[in-house]
Amino acid sequence: MLAFGDDFEVQVVDLTLPSAPKQFTDSLKTTGFAVVTNHPLKCDLIRSVYKEWNGFMKELMMDDAKKDPALANKYKFDPAIQDGYFPMSTSETAKGATVKDLKHYFQLYFPHGRYPDEVSDDARNLAMQMQDFGKTLVQWIDDYMPERVRQKIHDKCGGPLVNEISRERTMFRILHYPAYESSQQEIGAVRAAAHEDINLITVLPAGSARGLQLLNNKTGKWYEVPCIEGSIVINIGDMLQELSDGVYKSTTHRVIKMDNDDSTGDRMSTPCFIHAKQDTPLSTRYPTAEDYLFERLKELGVKTDADKIEVKRRKVLRAKRSSRSRSPR
């Protein structure tokens, strides 16, 4: 089924069909995106997270505007490990963009990382479901890789692609795109400027409103990714594009406010970025996943060389504490 445009086939794949794995991976190879239906994620749980976190994110945004923002400061993001709350003032600036995105978000890592006391475990439970689903999808991607490329990845990594997934480094982001009037924003500002994802694959429940668009590099035209209630959007990240020698495409995408949207409408989104292990070898350009991740976070303006040094310092301290705890008394 075509999602849009006869010349640019993003497949909408029913996962109950026997042909689903092939249709899914064919779409990823062609456009870098696929939309799946009849998936194992609980739709009621997704709706619950959107509703609960919509209120919590608005509370954080209002608190951050105060002179002494107690709640926002309680969860203020840690630049070294990248968990916590990223307010509008420190939101990402996409590579090549000159203005910040019109969004704020909370980043969660499991089992480590901070989780707000003010919300239920619904987001945690959804993140676990999305990680498990992502693992299945990565296995399909490996199964339908051209034999030459698959063997190269297996030789380089020492085994199947799915073994390179890191649960600890996989990030669950809860995004709130506030309502806004375009005329009152900085020229060029959008909800999420054109970018590619960093990771292996992204598992993304359909947003609470339209706005996700995909670029066809051949024509230079933007196309809307269908916002089908209850569906999941999957897209390829740069790490998998590097690993697969470009067989799977990391496609440029963005999030905008649609022309016919009510200007009072906000938008929720909960992408799960499935990441590779720190030492996963990517390509000649990027020896490891960690090398590429740091380069991109630095470009986005959310990490610095000092943060990289701080991460190493903390690892040394943890290793010393662990060594002391194992020493005989």
Side-chain angles (χ1 to χ4, degrees), residues 161-206:
L161 179 61
V162 72
N163 290 349
E164 295 306 304
I165 293 175
S166 170
R167 185 174 287 271
E168 292 75 19
R169 291 167 66 81
T170 289
M171 183 256 285
F172 185 59
R173 175 185 283 180
I174 300 181
L175 279 152
H176 178 238
Y177 301 98
Y180 69 93
E181 289 284 359
S182 301
S183 61
Q184 296 176 5
Q185 300 302 325
E186 194 170 355
I187 294 174
V190 294
R191 285 177 162 168
H195 66 284
E196 300 79 42
D197 288 352
I198 299 170
N199 43 297
L200 291 171
I201 67 168
T202 301
V203 180
L204 174 67

Side-chain angles (χ1 to χ4, degrees), residues 8-13 15 20-36 134 136-142 144-145 161 200-203 214 232-237 240-241 244 246-251:
F8 202 52
E9 300 183 35
V10 170
Q11 298 289 330
V12 179
V13 182
L15 295 191
K22 186 177 187 306
Q23 289 180 339
F24 168 72
T25 51
D26 283 350
S27 186
L28 293 179
K29 291 171 186 174
T30 304
T31 68
F33 272 71
V35 177
V36 300
T136 298
L137 298 176
V138 169
Q139 184 61 62
W140 288 359
I141 287 168
D142 199 7
Y144 286 85
M145 194 89 68
L161 179 61
L200 291 171
I201 67 168
T202 301
V203 180
L214 170 65
I232 303 292
V233 179
I234 311 296
N235 68 277
I236 299 297
L240 186 52
Q241 178 173 269
S244 69
V247 170
Y248 287 99
K249 313 291 185 184
S250 179
T251 307

